[in-house]
Amino acid sequence: MNATAKLDEYIPVVGQAIIDDLKLLAERLAQKHVLHVNSTAVGGGVAEILSRMVPLLGEMGINTKWEVIKGGDQFYQVTKKFHNVLHGRPDEVTPADFEIFMETSRKNIAEMNTDYDIVFIHDPQPIALIQKKGQNKWIWRCHIDVSKPHPIVWAFLKEFIVRYDASVFSAPSFSQQLPIRQALISPSIDPLSEKNRELSPEDVDRVLAKYQISRDKPIITQISRFDRLKDPVGVIEAFLMVRKYIDCQLILAGGTATDDPEGLQVLAEVKEKAADNPDIHILLLPQNDFEVNALQRGSDVIMQKSLKEGFGLTVSEALWKVKPVVAGNVGGIPLQIKHKYSGMLCNSVEGAAFALKQILNSPAFAKRLGENGREHIRNNFLLTRHLRDYMLLFLSLDYAEDLVYL
Amino acid sequence: MASDASLLNKTDEKESGLKKAKLPFHFYTRLHLTVLTGLKAANLTELLEHLKEVPGSSIYHHTHRFLQQHQYLNPEPPNDFAYWTTEVLGEKKLGEGISSIDVVQFSTIRDLRNRLIEVISNYVQQNPLSQKKFVNDGEEFYFMKSLSFILPTHDFATDLAEFIEILKKITVDSIYFHVFEARLRLEKKTNDFSAWIEQEFGETDLARKLSNLDPYTHTLEDLRRIIISIVEKRLRRK
């Protein structure tokens, strides 16, 4: 990640006027002190985004601080359980879990200074800090899919949520009936990061050569963890349907932690399904943004055939690289793809195979999908838009009406 | 090579023959925060029900914001309602009906809302079976609204050459504000650019040309190019 990028470095990507607008907004927030709180300083999408946003907000003159709550293993086991059941996975949540959660929360409440104009809390882990709310404004940012939340856990969290001044969700389907304002703010990709920056054709060739992938036939790629919700087996099934008619190859690339038994099991299933097919390349990639970037750029079609998805930023990453994308119609993916305009949405293996065939057989259509997709990402899913939305959100805290003259 | 406009911009009024405005044109911009309402529709009955009760800022969001968010699209679906009824619900005939609503002729959100309700109600009456069609879980129409902030930029134009130079660089949000929203804000069939040109320079013909543009059938970048081209053409005639 290019951690040193300054605001003006984004001008060649989004244009001077967009940056000027950001500065106009920042002028209105110059006196504000903002605190972001989440549960981890490294790893995960929230930390990745905050590590870019906090310096840029600071550069624009908004005093921004980022704090991380403290918690032990037990606390994080409970919050992981909350996370899973909020996503719809069955698990038993006990009164002891809530007590562990509250015990750690009480310690953080006692220790953390929240004396800022705006306190911005990310995800459920630090949610109970709201008990420290004074006259200042508090925002709760939900980064996870809560379209069908576990009723008991949601009821527990809701007791805290309703005390905030505003909430933020990543996709319309995640919104709930709440008495507070709910903003829709999508996450974003950083066009200057290692994962998204421009690469030379030589860089792309070198990475493909490293994995012994030739470019003599079209490449279809899905880059995701080996996780059932990403449906890698379904991707192979769709590929095999297409392969009957079109000579092409498939890359399934992703990581799996050695301590994740389910991931290893899914990987075994994938390998069994691939059955030594020479046109299916299964790559176990360690965290390597440069190689992910090169594999995406070297592909002809990108897939993200998720069955459930928080937001699915891999779709934005692929569209930014002007690639036609076939993706599951779930979570935040429909925000990134308007079917047949900026990509293809699918609800089944057969649908995915059909979309792949359409794309591979119609280069002009594929090109238009990619180009539309790139502009859609430029307008809506880059870090600069995310910065603008956060500043608008901060400003909105002082107004109840829908139309504000500043 | 510098354009006619930029060359003119470097000279004073006397040399260029360009009339200076008494009241400069101050460019504004309008920025939006999307707010979720928690309301959703899985069929046409629910869509109609919510259409009647959501705030005007929601109708605005689904008919106007779509253009801004998808202004690159080609071919261009005109609004969220048309997109959803066509592509998600699969009611292509109704989608066509909604697409063909001439948004430009409505100078109030209230009238636009009424027209949307009328088109959908008529369709449902003529095609009662359409009410029984539900979309899949997760594909519902989610009603949102725009929380809009209008703020002045640092850009002022005192003559048409400066006007063009600024127009070349400002965001499409600003163009959108002055062209589309003027109709709704002023509740009359003109836009801020035409009003200023008419008032400050008495250029009735130029003002009319800009006012006659149908902004809903162009992408915003196209609209920017067309406005610049019309004004540059006028300057070349000087």
Side-chain angles (χ1 to χ4, degrees):
Chain A
M1 160 127 346
N2 179 359
T4 55
K6 299 280 185 209
L7 195 62
D8 284 351
E9 290 178 50
Y10 292 85
I11 292 172
V13 183
V14 297
Q16 176 74 50
I18 294 284
I19 302 302
D20 288 347
D21 272 3
L22 291 180
K23 291 175 180 170
L24 272 180
L25 284 174
E27 286 170 15
R28 310 278 174 163
L29 291 160
Q31 304 304 317
K32 299 281 186 195
H33 287 72
V34 181
L35 172 68
H36 286 271
V37 184
N38 79 325
S39 62
T40 174
V42 285
V46 180
E48 191 175 318
I49 287 171
L50 282 177
S51 69
R52 296 297 309 119
M53 282 205 141
V54 170
L56 288 169
L57 287 166
E59 188 192 329
M60 286 190 287
I62 302 168
N63 299 298
T64 309
K65 191 141 192 256
W66 173 15
E67 294 275 9
V68 175
I69 54 163
K70 292 179 189 144
D73 286 349
Q74 269 195 321
F75 174 74
Y76 286 115
Q77 275 166 20
V78 168
T79 57
K80 175 77 181 166
K81 194 192 271 189
F82 283 4
H83 182 93
N84 286 341
V85 300
L86 285 170
H87 268 126
R89 279 176 64 158
D91 204 338
E92 195 188 347
V93 183
T94 65
D97 291 333
F98 292 118
E99 186 40 48
I100 290 166
F101 182 87
M102 285 314 300
E103 192 187 329
T104 301
S105 296
R106 279 190 287 272
K107 285 182 193 157
N108 281 297
I109 289 166
E111 288 174 19
M112 192 170 289
N113 172 22
T114 57
D115 191 15
Y116 291 77
D117 298 309
I118 297 167
V119 182
F120 201 140
I121 302 291
H122 295 263
D123 278 336
Q125 298 93 332
I127 197 168
L129 284 173
I130 188 69
Q131 293 186 354
K132 291 196 86 164
K133 184 178 186 325
Q135 294 303 307
N136 53 356
K137 302 288 186 183
W138 286 60
I139 300 165
W140 183 61
R141 184 8 161 170
C142 179
H143 291 269
I144 55 180
D145 179 350
V146 287
S147 50
K148 291 192 175 54
H150 185 283
I152 297 169
V153 173
W154 181 252
F156 174 75
L157 296 176
K158 198 174 167 185
E159 291 288 314
F160 300 109
I161 297 167
V162 296
R163 295 164 67 181
Y164 282 79
D165 295 288
S167 56
V168 183
F169 295 89
S170 298
S173 56
F174 303 167
S175 81
Q176 304 285 330
Q177 295 274 4
L178 290 172
I180 59 168
R181 187 177 270 162
Q182 303 177 59
L184 172 68
I185 300 182
S186 305
S188 59
I189 59 166
D190 183 349
L192 302 183
S193 70
E194 191 65 8
K195 206 192 276 182
N196 298 306
R197 69 179 174 89
E198 294 295 326
L199 295 183
S200 67
E202 293 75 30
D203 284 336
V204 174
D205 289 343
R206 206 171 62 240
V207 173
L208 288 175
K210 176 181 168 186
Y211 291 106
Q212 296 169 327
I213 297 161
S214 72
R215 298 180 94 168
D216 57 351
K217 48 181 129 179
I219 300 173
I220 301 166
T221 298
Q222 173 159 308
I223 299 176
S224 261
R225 286 194 317 276
F226 288 99
D227 178 327
R228 287 210 173 81
L229 293 179
K230 311 294 180 192
D231 201 18
V233 171
V235 170
I236 295 180
E237 286 169 350
F239 167 76
L240 293 174
M241 286 179 188
V242 175
R243 184 66 184 75
K244 281 185 201 164
Y245 303 97
I246 303 170
D247 192 16
C248 55
Q249 52 188 330
L250 174 69
I251 300 176
L252 274 174
T256 177
T258 47
D259 61 350
D260 176 8
E262 192 178 295
L264 293 172
Q265 198 185 335
V266 174
L267 180 61
E269 288 166 18
V270 166
K271 284 183 172 166
E272 190 187 334
K273 190 79 196 175
D276 297 328
N277 185 326
D279 286 326
I280 301 179
H281 310 277
I282 297 166
L283 312 181
L284 262 185
L285 283 187
Q287 182 68 33
N288 187 326
D289 288 346
F290 169 74
E291 289 192 354
V292 167
N293 190 344
L295 288 173
Q296 287 170 328
R297 287 181 190 277
S299 302
D300 295 279
V301 190
I302 300 284
M303 291 188 77
Q304 187 57 55
K305 206 197 147 312
S306 301
L307 304 173
K308 190 109 183 161
E309 194 59 77
F311 192 77
L313 275 179
T314 49
V315 170
S316 282
E317 289 165 16
L319 293 175
W320 180 242
K321 295 167 183 112
V322 208
K323 298 297 169 185
V325 176
V326 175
N329 189 13
V330 293
I333 291 176
L335 290 178
Q336 300 169 75
I337 291 179
K338 285 286 170 221
H339 185 53
K340 294 192 279 192
Y341 290 100
S342 52
M344 301 291 277
L345 295 172
C346 61
N347 299 288
S348 63
V349 169
E350 291 77 11
F354 181 61
L356 285 171
K357 279 191 277 187
Q358 282 184 302
I359 287 174
L360 291 171
N361 282 332
S362 316
F365 177 57
K367 186 166 177 276
R368 198 174 74 209
L369 292 180
E371 286 169 352
N372 274 342
R374 163 105 171 172
E375 290 312 305
H376 187 45
I377 301 308
R378 192 197 305 279
N379 286 332
N380 299 295
F381 297 106
L382 295 186
L383 187 64
T384 41
R385 188 277 311 155
H386 206 167
L387 277 167
R388 186 196 67 197
D389 280 356
Y390 273 8
M391 288 196 280
L392 289 173
L393 176 66
F394 297 160
L395 287 166
S396 77
L397 295 168
D398 293 326
Y399 302 93
E401 57 270 36
D402 290 342
L403 183 59
V404 178
Y405 284 86
L406 288 176
Chain B
M1 202 174 85
S3 68
D4 294 359
S6 64
L7 286 171
L8 287 168
N9 197 24
K10 288 176 185 146
T11 59
D12 62 28
E13 181 174 344
K14 211 169 180 181
E15 283 175 22
S16 68
L18 280 182
K19 194 172 171 188
K20 293 282 176 190
K22 285 193 189 105
L23 197 65
F25 190 89
H26 192 178
F27 285 83
Y28 276 63
T29 191
R30 175 165 172 163
L31 301 173
H32 306 272
L33 182 67
T34 301
V35 173
L36 300 160
T37 65
L39 298 173
K40 60 182 177 180
N43 67 358
L44 288 177
T45 310
E46 289 173 3
L47 186 73
L48 263 177
E49 200 177 294
H50 294 320
L51 259 177
K52 290 172 187 166
E53 66 184 18
V54 291
S57 53
S58 179
I59 305 289
Y60 169 84
H61 178 92
H62 293 294
T63 51
H64 287 68
R65 283 289 287 137
F66 194 81
L67 267 166
Q68 276 175 296
Q69 286 174 322
H70 300 279
Q71 50 101 5
Y72 56 87
L73 284 185
N74 179 24
E76 196 173 358
N79 61 60
D80 274 337
F81 300 116
Y83 177 82
W84 185 77
T85 46
T86 308
E87 300 292 345
V88 185
L89 195 62
E91 292 288 343
K92 292 196 171 56
K93 199 173 159 194
L94 174 60
E96 193 177 301
I98 299 175
S99 297
S100 59
I101 291 178
D102 190 6
V103 177
V104 77
Q105 70 169 295
F106 294 94
S107 51
T108 71
I109 286 288
R110 185 182 58 251
D111 292 344
L112 179 56
R113 182 204 301 263
N114 289 341
R115 180 65 185 143
L116 282 164
I117 291 170
E118 188 186 351
V119 168
I120 299 170
S121 301
N122 288 345
Y123 182 83
V124 167
Q125 267 175 16
Q126 287 160 17
N127 304 275
L129 281 178
S130 65
Q131 291 175 83
K132 296 196 161 69
K133 205 178 211 177
F134 284 78
V135 295
N136 291 328
D137 200 20
E139 293 184 342
E140 297 92 343
F141 187 94
Y142 293 93
F143 281 89
M144 302 172 222
K145 62 179 185 174
S146 287
L147 174 52
S148 303
F149 295 86
I150 293 166
L151 67 164
T153 69
H154 297 311
D155 291 313
F156 292 87
T158 58
D159 60 34
L160 289 178
E162 284 177 10
F163 177 74
I164 290 175
E165 288 309 306
I166 296 170
L167 208 54
K168 284 177 182 169
K169 65 169 190 160
I170 53 169
T171 58
V172 289
D173 297 308
S174 179
I175 295 176
Y176 194 88
F177 173 75
H178 290 297
V179 176
F180 287 73
E181 305 210 342
R183 292 168 191 271
L184 299 172
R185 187 162 22 86
L186 306 172
E187 299 205 355
K188 58 182 182 188
K189 289 188 180 301
T190 188
N191 61 62
D192 290 338
F193 297 153
S194 294
W196 179 69
I197 287 169
E198 166 100 57
Q199 183 190 308
E200 293 299 318
F201 310 121
E203 295 260 8
T204 313
D205 190 44
L206 179 59
R208 188 180 47 77
K209 275 186 186 150
L210 296 185
S211 169
N212 281 350
L213 284 172
D214 177 355
Y216 293 87
T217 54
H218 300 284
T219 67
L220 287 167
E221 283 300 342
D222 280 344
L223 198 60
R224 184 203 301 269
R225 278 191 287 274
I226 293 168
I227 296 172
I228 290 171
S229 147
I230 291 174
V231 181
E232 278 185 338
K233 211 168 170 183
R234 170 69 192 88
L235 285 180
R236 275 198 291 270
R237 282 214 336 260
K238 275 274 179 200

